[in-house]
Amino acid sequence: MDIIEHDRLLIIDFGSQVTQLIARRLREQNVYCEIHPYQNVTDDVLAQIAPKAVILSGGPDSVTREGSPRAPESLWTMGIPVLGICYGQQTMMQQLGGEVHGGKNTGGGGTAEFGRAYVTPTEDRIDLLAGWFLEKKEQVWMSHGDHVAKLAPGFEVYGTSPNAPYAITADLERNFYAVQFHPEVHHTPNGSTLYENFVRLAGFSGDWTMAGYKDDAIARIREQVGDKQVICGLSGGVDSSVTAALLHEAIGDQLTCVFVDHGLLRLDEGADVVAMFRDNMNLKVIHADEADLFLGELEGQSDPETKRKIIGKLFIDVFQKYANEIEGAEFLAQGTLYPDVIESVSFSGGPSVTIKSHHNVGGLPEKMGLKLVEPLRELFKDEVRVLGHELGLPASFIGRHPFPGPGLAIRCPGEITREKLDILREADAVYIDQIRKHGLYDEIWQAFVAILPVRTVGVMGDGRTYDFACALRAVTSVDGMTADYYPFTHEFLGETATRIINEVPGINRVTYDITSKPPGTIEWE
Ligand code: XMP
């Protein structure tokens, strides 16, 4: 069943690192798009998707290699606009009768070009380039080894760079466009304009708005669920909160949320989440207070992976126990996002090393015989936040820093005790209060305190203290995959350390963690 009725743009993914950015740029134009790996886009699938336009992404392969990826042949006769980017440009040229020569890495000598370059226009201006070349040349980002050596019949050149004489080409009759550079990346500052022009000339009306999405999603949920019961694990994070609020709007009382309180939450967090959803929004929320169970099982454990595994397993057991009490539950709602759904094209194969066992409830639906409802599957994180606003969730809640499933357990290296958790909660609350007071909360991606498994000697008043040391962490990041420490002023750090030591009994030393990721990770365990 397919309920997305918007015009759709198909991105055929040839494995570029930045394909998701193409989707971002299009969503900014209120255009609905889907990314599909090239292997899946057969002629039949293409006909089924029936896109209004297609973009061919970049990719790491060389079209000069036998057996390298291609666009489906039927694409060229569908009569729809096509934009090829980098590898996409090259396969387009080759498939339509042009020539591509290998670069250094593929034995052709060639004109490899990586990084910043400048494109200048030829004489004719085309609609795709409206708003371009106002300053004569445009900065673009190149990343190619191969290059187009001969254009396919019907194509003309509209922009060149020193190493890419065919930087921008088009067959205006067929509405085919091809660029050698990456307009989706930040380092092509005017790149968004190019996408804007492409979707305009392809006839998209820009009707993909969050208000519209909300109405569609509600209709879809109602159709999928009918009069059955749905359960939803509420963590208090943005994704599960927006999922719950959306389902509530769609099916009201047929939704029951389970909030598992493992005793590893921040100060007042459990009460705040339940108060908001149960008292203010009238959702049915089961507050599963299982702190004794979790903290009991964690007693004496200090190995990070053991702690994570205990929490992960108990979480599933507890969720299942409460869910089983909800009569007639047939569906499980999850806040899965688009980046989790996209099948990425893997050229290297090979499993990657497990750095940390992340919370994973992936197997739960089959185990419990439940069907999944995943109303955020088409959305990126920032779109989820916009949807949260549409649903009336408070901004302070939607903009909260991410909080990991295992909670404070991974901010308490070594053994976890209730005493340490209490100290940590107090210190964290003071730290976050400081960050908010200085207006820095939204600039920082994530900030927290970790309580260290070490006591140090201090002097307060005239007395000796022997208390815990803690570390402050604050990072900037886009997606949590890489991160840098936040450059607080010394003044801020000094003031915060003083407040924590004065206001939090049990801590007499404060340090600031200035490790980036990599080589560190964001959390301490
Ligand atoms: P690391 O420590 O791996 O963290 O650099 C990256 C981001 O992921 C969060 N994190 C988790 N989130 N379950 C979660 O839901 C987990 O098990 C988990 N471990 C880490 C972390 O807070 C950071 O935002």
Side-chain angles (χ1 to χ4, degrees), residues 308 356-359 402-406 410-411 445-446 448 480-481 517 520-525:
R308 279 176 169 274
K356 298 178 184 186
S357 308
H358 273 222
H359 235 57
F403 186 66
I410 58 177
R411 297 175 179 178
W445 197 76
Q446 195 174 17
F448 57 86
M481 303 296 286
K517 173 184 181 178
T521 54
I522 295 175
E523 303 286 350
W524 274 52
E525 286 193 337

Side-chain angles (χ1 to χ4, degrees), residues 234 257-265 270 274 278 285-294 314-315 317-323 325:
L234 191 59
C257 295
V258 180
F259 176 64
V260 178
D261 187 339
H262 46 23
L264 299 160
L265 299 169
V274 172
R278 191 194 277 166
V285 180
I286 297 175
H287 187 170
D289 181 359
E290 296 285 353
D292 287 344
L293 173 71
F294 280 81
L314 285 180
F315 201 92
D317 290 350
V318 167
F319 185 78
Q320 205 166 347
K321 181 177 94 185
Y322 285 90
E325 288 170 12

Side-chain angles (χ1 to χ4, degrees), residues 387-461:
L387 180 58
H389 282 293
E390 287 287 334
L391 289 160
L393 291 172
S396 57
F397 202 81
I398 293 167
R400 289 201 315 172
H401 291 169
F403 186 66
L408 300 183
I410 58 177
R411 297 175 179 178
C412 192
E415 261 183 60
I416 299 167
T417 64
R418 284 179 194 263
E419 183 207 3
K420 279 199 214 167
L421 289 174
D422 285 341
I423 296 171
L424 175 55
R425 280 191 192 98
E426 295 290 337
D428 193 72
V430 172
Y431 181 42
I432 298 298
D433 183 56
Q434 274 287 100
I435 289 175
R436 286 198 190 276
K437 276 199 177 130
H438 284 257
L440 302 173
Y441 191 84
D442 294 336
E443 262 181 54
I444 293 170
W445 197 76
Q446 195 174 17
F448 57 86
V449 176
I451 184 163
L452 305 185
V454 43
R455 286 178 193 261
T456 72
V457 174
V459 51
M460 282 175 91

Side-chain angles (χ1 to χ4, degrees), residues 273-287:
V273 170
V274 172
M276 185 175 88
F277 284 96
R278 191 194 277 166
D279 305 339
N280 294 347
M281 295 177 66
N282 257 333
L283 264 79
K284 281 197 275 180
V285 180
I286 297 175
H287 187 170

